Amino acid sequence: MSVQSRQAVRIIKFIAEMKKNNYPNASSFAKLLRKADIEENFACACSVRTVMRDIETLQNDYHAPIEYDAANRGDYLRDRSWVFHAPILTDDIL
């Protein structure tokens, strides 16, 4: 799996966690990815810093309305109707 496709998968999973109101943060999400890597043999584990860069990409490149909730210690979508338009992943990228 290419770097771009791994990032796209991480971003989609992060958005899904926010839409489920799980209030992920960079640390908890990196832990979730490591768990999926071990239990599901899903090569998506990464560092906390990588997750932070993914969040910045979502905010800067895709204008995601992500905000931090101090009470829940995690991120959420300020506008729940926001839709992520994922880049098209072709077979050569995957």
Side-chain angles (χ1 to χ4, degrees), residues 31-70:
K31 189 182 294 184
L32 182 101
L33 292 175
R34 280 193 299 276
K35 183 179 176 185
D37 194 30
I38 293 167
E39 293 178 359
E40 301 168 22
N41 197 24
F42 187 65
C44 60
C46 64
S47 69
V48 171
R49 182 65 192 128
T50 299
V51 174
M52 290 171 66
R53 281 192 295 269
D54 290 344
I55 295 168
E56 289 173 5
T57 297
L58 269 170
Q59 291 173 316
N60 296 333
D61 297 348
Y62 297 100
H63 309 291
I66 298 172
E67 294 208 7
Y68 183 77
D69 183 306

